[in-house]
Each structure stands twice: as structure tokens, then as C-alpha cells.
Amino acid sequence: MIRASGTAGFQGRPDTVASSRLTNAVAASLAVAALSLCLIVTLTVLSTKATMAMGLPV
């Protein structure tokens, strides 16, 4: 079986599949989501540490 040239791999010309505005919007939304996730994790860790430092009520 003979493979036709340029049909697989990275030899072919890249085609634009989305506009640059859409790509930038997706990148910005992913950056905001990552930042908010880091903020949520940080607040969770800090509140857990504060709760553990208080001790159990008797």
C-alpha cells in the first residue's frame, strides 16, 4: 500500500481553523479560570489551616 504524500503528519500546509479573536478569547477565559481556581484552592487551604488552629470546642 502506498501512502499519498501530504495526507498525514506535519508535511501539509497548516489551515486556519479559528479567527485570532476567538483564539484570544478562549485563551483569556482559560487564564481567568486558572486564576480563579488557584484563588479557590488558596482560600480553602487557608481556611482549613485557620480551622485546625482553633482546636475543638469542649
Side-chain angles (χ1 to χ4, degrees):
M1 184 184 303
I2 299 172
R3 183 191 312 177
S5 65
T7 57
F10 297 102
Q11 289 86 14
R13 182 176 59 87
D15 293 330
T16 304
V17 295
S19 68
S20 61
R21 289 181 65 190
L22 178 62
T23 304
N24 290 339
V26 170
S29 65
L30 287 174
V32 169
L35 186 63
S36 64
L37 182 64
C38 289
L39 183 64
I40 289 170
V41 169
T42 302
L43 289 175
T44 304
V45 168
L46 290 176
S47 67
T48 303
K49 285 184 178 181
T51 303
M52 290 174 65
M54 281 191 243
L56 296 173
V58 177

